[in-house]
C-alpha cells in the first residue's frame, strides 16, 4: 500500500468535511473492495474516511410499500432480515450468495452499490426493482445511477446513506457464480410489478443493464417459456479467461429462466 491518512468520521457532516479537505479522499465502509485495490496498488487515495461508526447509516425498515436499507447494513444482515425475507425474499436470497461468510459479514450494500463492479450482485437488484439511491445530497433513481463499469452518478464528496426498494408482487434472482470469487459470470434479477416486469443483468458486460425484449415478453406472460429463444446481444457482452461473450449470452438466458422460476415460487 501507499501512505495514506485514516479518519474515523463521527457523523455525516464530519465525513463530508474530511472528504472536502482531502487531496484525494475516499469513503471506506466494509472495505471488501477498496482495501484489496489498495493492497494491489490499483487505488492510492490520500485519505480514507471511515463511516462504519455512524449508527444512523445501518438498519432496515419497511414503510409505505418500500424496503429501506441503510448504506452500512452488511450483506449478512440483509440475508437474515425477517423484514426483507417477508417483503422481498429474492433480495435476501441475493445477499446470501455474495462472496463468502467473511465478505458477507464485512461488506455493505452502500459500498457495493457505490463501487458498481460489473459482476456484482446488488446492482442487478437495484436496477430490476427500480430502487432509489439516497445520498447526502439527493435521491437518484436506479435508471440514472449506474453509468457503466465502476462508474455511477455520484459526485465527489457525495455519500450514499440508504437504498429504497419498492416491493414487487414477486421477484427472483439467479446467477452462475465464479467458483473462486462468487462474483456473477452472469446474474439476472427479475421483478414483477403491477406496471410490468423489470430485469437487471449483471456479470455480462461493462456494467449492469436491462433488456427490453426480456421485459416485454415477461410482462405479457410471466413464465420461463415466455423467454425461450431470447438472447441478449453478444456484442454488448464481454469475454475473458472465465467465459466468452457467447457463453455469457447463453448464461443470461438460462439464469433469466431460473430467476422467473424462483419468482413464481416466491408468491
Amino acid at each position: 500500500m501507499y501512505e495514506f491518512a485514516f479518519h474515523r468520521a463521527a457523523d455525516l457532516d464530519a465525513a463530508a468535511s474530511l472528504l472536502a479537505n482531502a487531496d484525494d479522499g475516499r469513503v471506506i465502509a466494509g472495505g471488501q473492495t477498496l482495501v484489496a485495490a489498495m493492497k494491489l496498488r490499483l487505488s492510492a487515495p490520500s485519505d480514507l474516511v471511515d463511516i462504519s461508526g455512524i449508527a444512523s447509516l445501518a438498519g432496515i425498515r419497511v414503510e409505505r410499500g418500500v424496503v429501506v436499507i441503510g448504506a452500512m447494513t452488511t450483506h449478512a444482515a440483509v440475508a437474515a432480515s425477517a423484514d426483507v425475507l417477508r417483503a422481498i425474499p429474492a433480495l435476501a436470497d441475493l445477499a446470501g450468495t455474495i462472496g463468502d461468510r467473511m465478505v458477507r459479514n464485512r461488506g455493505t450494500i452502500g459500498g457495493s452499490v457505490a463501487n458498481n463492479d460489473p459482476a456484482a450482485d446488488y446492482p442487478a437488484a437495484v436496477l430490476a426493482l427500480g430502487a432509489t439511491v439516497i445520498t447526502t445530497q439527493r435521491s437518484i433513481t436506479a435508471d440514472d445511477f449506474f453509468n457503466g463499469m465502476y462508474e455511477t452518478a455520484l459526485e465527489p464528496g457525495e455519500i450514499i446513506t440508504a437504498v429504497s426498494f419498492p416491493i414487487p408482487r414477486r421477484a427472483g434472482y439467479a446467477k452462475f457464480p465464479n467458483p473462486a470469487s462468487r462474483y456473477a459470470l452472469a446474474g439476472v434479477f427479475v421483478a414483477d410489478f403491477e406496471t410490468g416486469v423489470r430485469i437487471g443483468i449483471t456479470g455480462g458486460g461493462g456494467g449492469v443493464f436491462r433488456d427490453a425484449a426480456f421485459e416485454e415478453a415477461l410482462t405479457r406472460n410471466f413464465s420461463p417459456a415466455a423467454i425461450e429463444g431470447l438472447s441478449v446481444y453478444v456484442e454488448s457482452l464481454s469475454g475473458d479467461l472465465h467465459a466468452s461473450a457467447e457463453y455469457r449470452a447463453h448464461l443470461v438466458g438460462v439464469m433469466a429462466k431460473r430467476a422467473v422460476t424462483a419468482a413464481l415460487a416466491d408468491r
Side-chain angles (χ1 to χ4, degrees):
M1 287 187 182
Y2 297 96
E3 182 178 347
F4 61 90
F6 181 83
H7 314 273
R8 190 181 298 276
D11 53 39
L12 283 169
D13 288 339
S17 177
L18 288 164
L19 288 171
N21 292 316
D23 291 333
D24 181 22
R26 293 286 301 276
V27 169
I28 185 167
Q32 296 305 289
T33 299
L34 181 56
V35 171
M38 292 173 65
K39 289 174 70 175
L40 292 171
R41 299 199 169 197
L42 298 174
S43 181
S46 63
D47 297 73
L48 287 185
V49 178
D50 181 6
I51 61 172
S52 63
I54 304 177
S56 62
L57 293 181
I60 299 168
R61 66 183 188 274
V62 179
E63 57 184 27
R64 297 186 298 277
V66 298
V67 176
V68 181
I69 303 178
M72 278 300 305
T73 307
T74 64
H75 312 321
V78 175
S81 167
D83 286 334
V84 178
L85 284 165
R86 278 193 298 267
I88 316 176
L91 186 59
D93 292 342
L94 176 151
T97 71
I98 297 174
D100 56 25
R101 186 174 298 177
M102 183 187 77
V103 169
R104 291 192 292 274
N105 277 284
R106 290 292 302 170
T108 65
I109 187 171
S112 175
V113 172
N115 187 53
N116 190 22
D117 189 291
D121 298 286
Y122 271 128
V126 172
L127 192 59
L129 289 166
T132 299
V133 179
I134 303 165
T135 79
T136 48
Q137 301 178 22
R138 55 188 168 146
S139 295
I140 312 170
T141 62
D143 288 320
D144 294 328
F145 184 79
F146 300 107
N147 292 335
M149 188 180 296
Y150 300 109
E151 296 290 335
T152 71
L154 291 173
E155 298 290 345
E158 190 172 10
I159 302 171
I160 295 176
T161 60
V163 183
S164 176
F165 295 92
I167 299 174
R169 293 189 296 189
R170 51 195 172 184
Y173 180 63
K175 73 172 177 179
F176 191 92
N178 180 303
S181 68
R182 312 305 292 175
Y183 274 109
L185 291 180
V188 179
F189 197 104
V190 177
D192 180 22
F193 293 92
E194 290 185 5
T195 54
V197 174
R198 293 173 60 104
I199 75 168
I201 301 169
T202 188
V208 65
F209 63 96
R210 296 170 62 188
D211 188 281
F214 278 81
E215 291 180 343
E216 291 167 5
L218 289 170
T219 296
R220 291 192 299 269
N221 175 18
F222 195 80
S223 73
I227 52 177
E228 184 69 44
L230 290 183
S231 178
V232 295
Y233 290 112
V234 172
E235 293 76 10
S236 67
L237 304 182
S238 60
D240 53 31
L241 76 163
H242 301 296
S244 67
E246 291 77 11
Y247 184 55
R248 280 192 165 93
H250 169 73
L251 285 177
V252 168
V254 174
M255 294 305 112
K257 292 177 191 175
R258 292 183 183 178
V260 172
T261 300
L264 289 169
D266 173 18
R267 293 288 187 266

